[in-house]
Amino acid sequence: PSSTIFAQPRELKINEVVDIALRNNKELKAYALRTEAKEALKSSALLFDKTTITYGTDQNNIAENNHPLRVWGITQNFTSPAQYFAEKNIKGAEYEISAAEYKLQVIELIKNVSLKYIELQVEQEKLANFKDIESLYTKILNGAESRRKNGDISQLELLTIKAKHQSVKNQVNELKFNINDMFNNIKILMGYQDTFSLSEDLKIIEYVDKDIERSTFFILQKKREAFDRANIAMEKSRLL
């Protein structure tokens, strides 16, 4: 007789799950593409506008053949140096903001994926414990049913044991549902479709005391302030 061998799900450690998320997360990819676009636009400020060529006829000037003269025109607008540098500073500030937002998104993704991984580990440990309790109650219930037949315990006592056994079974089923839902959520963050299992090693997240002025969020706020100043300078240059 033939037998089917089911492959075990691939075990992924927390650092592997984070790496997959950093490579595949759709939202992070969108931030990266936006940052690349802003970087490409940094040097796109124009000192000269596009040349405009016009063509028409001058009804006030009639040629010898009684037709109006054909008139060609070329227009070239020049951006003032102050306005040019102001626009260049704005585009540079836009890139700096986008780069800081991308970095902040990376940090948030690492944090969220790591927390979900650890929460899953905890839920799976709880499930294992409740399965042990369920197994114990199953043995107790089997013994209680035999004792009830012999008249050693009352019907009320048997019903109480059954109710406790059912309560534990309900908790096991609820944990299974929650774990499945949590796996789906973390796989969305990872951009990952395959089934995987968790490492049994619990990783302790260490608290890192960071200087607030060196934090990514603080840097992002400073970049936004610089962008606002560049916009003000741009408006002033237009009034010159």
Side-chain angles (χ1 to χ4, degrees):
S2 61
S3 61
T4 303
I5 300 176
F6 295 96
Q8 292 293 322
R10 177 188 174 192
E11 180 183 289
L12 294 177
K13 298 183 183 298
I14 189 169
N15 61 304
E16 294 174 314
V17 169
V18 168
D19 287 342
I20 291 172
L22 291 175
R23 290 197 305 269
N24 298 339
N25 182 267
K26 291 182 179 180
E27 190 173 0
L28 189 62
K29 284 183 177 181
Y31 273 90
L33 288 173
R34 187 172 66 181
T35 302
E36 289 174 7
K38 295 294 184 182
E39 185 177 21
L41 291 172
K42 276 201 314 182
S43 58
S44 65
L46 298 176
L47 186 57
F48 302 96
D49 283 347
K50 292 181 180 179
T51 302
T52 303
I53 300 176
T54 58
Y55 168 76
T57 56
D58 186 353
Q59 299 293 335
N60 295 321
N61 290 303
I62 305 300
E64 294 180 358
N65 58 3
N66 292 325
H67 289 87
L69 291 176
R70 297 176 180 177
V71 179
W72 293 82
I74 297 177
T75 304
Q76 176 71 70
N77 293 327
F78 295 88
T79 302
S80 70
Q83 186 175 343
Y84 166 76
F85 286 111
E87 184 179 347
K88 189 173 182 180
N89 287 338
I90 285 177
K91 292 184 182 297
E94 286 178 337
Y95 164 72
E96 294 293 339
I97 289 174
S98 185
E101 287 176 340
Y102 172 76
K103 187 176 180 182
L104 189 62
Q105 191 67 19
V106 168
I107 293 171
E108 284 296 307
L109 181 61
I110 292 172
K111 182 188 73 174
N112 290 337
V113 171
S114 299
L115 286 175
K116 288 186 181 297
Y117 188 97
I118 293 170
E119 287 171 355
L120 258 171
Q121 286 180 310
V122 172
E123 288 297 294
Q124 286 191 328
E125 186 66 24
K126 285 169 63 177
L127 177 60
N129 291 335
F130 271 98
K131 281 183 174 180
D132 289 340
I133 296 171
E134 181 187 13
S135 178
L136 179 61
Y137 265 106
T138 299
K139 293 177 182 178
I140 293 173
L141 180 59
N142 291 336
E145 287 175 339
S146 298
R147 293 177 64 196
R148 173 59 187 151
K149 289 179 182 179
N150 297 330
D152 296 334
I153 62 173
S154 67
Q155 182 65 22
L156 179 60
E157 289 174 307
L158 178 61
L159 291 175
T160 301
I161 294 172
K162 283 185 175 181
K164 290 182 177 179
H165 180 243
Q166 187 60 47
S167 176
V168 173
K169 283 184 68 175
N170 291 341
Q171 288 177 292
V172 167
N173 291 332
E174 183 179 351
L175 281 167
K176 286 180 178 178
F177 177 84
N178 290 342
I179 288 170
N180 183 65
D181 191 49
M182 291 169 73
F183 261 112
N184 289 334
N185 289 336
I186 196 172
K187 284 166 72 174
I188 290 173
L189 287 178
M190 294 167 64
Y192 193 74
Q193 299 297 326
D194 297 339
T195 301
F196 66 94
S197 62
L198 308 182
S199 168
E200 294 183 359
D201 297 330
L202 280 170
K203 182 180 176 66
I204 304 299
I205 299 178
E206 297 181 1
Y207 171 74
V208 180
D209 186 12
K210 292 183 178 180
D211 181 358
I212 189 171
E213 293 189 0
R214 298 174 60 186
S215 69
T216 303
F217 180 77
F218 184 85
I219 292 171
L220 175 59
Q221 295 306 113
K222 299 298 288 184
K223 298 298 183 184
R224 285 173 174 163
E225 290 176 10
F227 175 73
D228 290 340
R229 288 195 296 271
N231 262 317
I232 293 171
M234 178 70 176
E235 291 304 319
K236 287 181 177 178
S237 69
R238 286 174 177 168
L239 297 175
L240 296 178

